[in-house]
Amino acid sequence: MSTEEKSLHFIEQIIEDSLESGFPQDKLRFRFPPEPNGYLHIGHAKSICLNFGLGLRYNAPVNLRFDDTNPAKEEQEYVDAIKEDLIWLGFNWAEERYASDYFQQLYDWAIVMIKKGKAYVDSQSSDDMAIQKGTPTQPGVDGPYRNRSVEENLELFEGMKNGNFPEGSHVLRAKIDMTSTNMLMRDPLMYRVLHRHHHRTGNDWKIYPMYDYAHGESDYIEQISHSICTLEFVMHRELYNWFLDQIYVENKVRPHQYEFARLNLNYTVMSKRKLLQLVQENIVNGWDDPRMPTISGLRRRGYTAASIRKFCDIIGVAKRENVIDVSLLEFCLREDLNKTAPRVMAVLDPIKLVIINYPEEKEEWLEAENNQEDESAGYRKVPFSRELYIEREDFLEEAPAKFFRLSIGKEVRLKNAYIIRGESVVKDANGTITEIHVTYDEDSRSGSGSESSQRKVAGTLHWVSIKHAIEAEVRLYDRLFIDEAPDSHKEKNFLDFMNASSLQIAKGFVEPSLKYVKSGDKFQFQRLGYFNVDKDSSTEKLVFNRTVGLKDAWEEKGKKEENLLMNTQKEINKYVKEKDENNAGLILTNIVDNIKSIDNFSLLIQTVVKNVKNDNNSLLFANLILNYSDNVFAKDIEPELLAKLYGMSLKSQLPLVRVSVILNLKKDLINLNNFKTQVSELMLTEKNEKVLEVLNELHF
């Protein structure tokens, strides 16, 4: 096997094997088949890059086919958005097709199947059909209408087509095997009655084919050679092949289905239903809200097509499900923008800085490099004057030793300009600093070559000349959810994990070179992150979106929280050993504060789970988390594990553990009742005064 062959992913290897076995290269054909019932998201981008990437690799056509078989949920708006996303990602399709193009052919094939005794009209209710289908461990049974005559089936099916029956009254089912171990093969639905307007066929049809029937047959009509879908369709493959068996004729390409692992991204949801809920409940501002994982949302936020394609290339094509860290997507974006985004200066939380020894009427236009990563980007002129804006966080009147920004008596450099020294401040009646007064070293201008200009100082600050500054609205976007897996927790709604700080709006000031920017233009605001111009922007009001920070703040926060919990567990040891009551109280206060500061639900759950073991300090830690966390409660823990925690804690030799578990049971009335006997026994035998005190507060 060559080096190139070793680097192939498994679907490419399947295609290579097909070609080696004699399949004609010119018969290769692929398709991307979205259902137009919502906007595409980053998960679809993986499928897009896979299918169109195969087309490019093998010089084969790739169709864009809309599987539009459910008019109740599909709209032309979604069709248009999907096409726009594909073009933006850089892909062109060979033919634009629709499953609705094939409605007549699909109907004709269904008639043939009825005549062959392979399909029948069922008039049961959906509930009765579900019972009749059995369970994964119990075979189904034949329904009362399974053996209708061909004539009656044809008559009823035509009546369904003509709109003679209400929705839900009849369905057409394939007649396969009600005892199959694959429940999808137990006489699946082929058609249902829907009196709905279709975005392309209008009111021509009163029946619509089910996805499982239409999808494979559509592949056959288009002569798709390799039908690639995600792993949840593995069990559908048998049905896919059965439907093809009914229509396949020799000398035509027979499609084959292959499955790959879908893209699962942490800190987001990929379900179209849940994304639609976010839109419909106005939790976000539409499908293209920059916090959404939709391609249109990512585009509006400032993501580049190249970064998304690179991301899909890095994660590859696999057979097993896994969860990709969103930080990898952000890394791909930073890597791309670092090469292409011009550097500019903007101040988002401004405080006035006055250079008291700079002439009042003087102004200079200093030279600033546009992008040090791109030699062809050139330079621009930036105005400098006596009064500037800097970031409020870049100044402390009295600063600690490791504060490398401006403070009284300390020097820093202004980017592309001069070295300044903090002299004094002006405060309002409330004691808030309103102005910072500094002096500058006239000989220290950047790039002048003077001895002073080469003097090293601790920090460099960005700034904007007040006289020349342009006001802008800056939308500071962050992740939409605070949990790694917001829709994976039992008894929890994914909306419980919304990030209250996912959008913050600042009134900022930008340098004058940005006066005539256009929607979609991208920049690095120096020291702040990457930003792009929003579609809401105009010459009268500039609007910028924060695309991504210069560093992964979430990774830093995650490490801090993990370290904080580890250190808190060490504090538990000190707390248990401390003999002085006052000192113990101070340690406990610190432990509680630490627990309350942790937002990461999954991390807290994992910590509780890991500490349910026969160790007093561990049991105490788990109980304290349940007692004091504002994010995790008893109902969030698996019942069996929670019962184990309670049971072991009540038997603990350490009074602190017994006190803590009783306080938790006091709030958990269901489990308090379950442990009534054990708690009652403890009341009779307990000797410790604090334990007795909390026991006496219980009311059975």
Side-chain angles (χ1 to χ4, degrees), residues 568 591-598 604 621 624-625 628-629:
T568 303
I591 290 170
V592 171
D593 288 344
N594 289 350
I595 289 171
K596 284 182 172 292
S597 73
I598 305 293
L604 288 167
F621 192 28
L624 288 174
I625 290 173
Y628 293 109
S629 173

Side-chain angles (χ1 to χ4, degrees), residues 524-582:
Q524 183 194 108
F525 287 1
Q526 296 201 31
R527 299 178 65 235
L528 298 176
Y530 293 99
F531 293 74
N532 84 310
V533 184
D534 188 74
K535 68 178 185 179
D536 292 342
S537 190
S538 66
T539 52
E540 291 76 32
K541 181 185 178 182
L542 294 181
V543 180
F544 292 91
N545 300 326
R546 179 171 65 188
T547 307
V548 68
L550 294 177
K551 296 181 179 179
D552 187 350
W554 282 79
E555 182 181 10
E556 291 181 12
K557 181 183 178 185
K559 287 179 179 177
K560 283 181 180 178
E561 290 193 337
E562 286 180 14
N563 290 335
L564 184 59
L565 277 178
M566 287 174 60
N567 291 331
T568 303
Q569 192 147 19
K570 294 176 183 176
E571 289 291 298
I572 295 284
N573 298 332
K574 293 181 184 177
Y575 175 54
V576 169
K577 292 177 181 178
E578 181 58 55
K579 304 298 183 184
D580 185 278
E581 194 168 326
N582 289 332

Side-chain angles (χ1 to χ4, degrees), residues 582-615:
N582 289 332
N583 290 341
L586 292 173
I587 296 171
L588 179 61
T589 299
N590 188 50
I591 290 170
V592 171
D593 288 344
N594 289 350
I595 289 171
K596 284 182 172 292
S597 73
I598 305 293
D599 292 325
N600 191 323
F601 178 83
S602 295
L603 178 61
L604 288 167
I605 290 288
Q606 292 164 12
T607 304
V608 171
V609 170
K610 285 192 297 186
N611 282 280
V612 180
K613 55 187 178 182
N614 195 20
D615 174 83

Side-chain angles (χ1 to χ4, degrees), residues 277-316:
Q277 184 180 348
L278 292 173
V279 173
Q280 289 179 334
E281 295 182 11
N282 296 316
I283 296 169
V284 295
N285 301 312
W287 285 97
D288 69 343
D289 186 300
R291 294 166 292 180
M292 290 280 273
T294 55
I295 294 174
S296 57
L298 294 169
R299 177 167 65 245
R300 184 175 176 185
R301 182 157 172 171
Y303 273 77
T304 63
S307 67
I308 293 175
R309 293 196 304 268
K310 178 68 174 178
F311 171 69
C312 293
D313 181 53
I314 289 175
I315 62 176

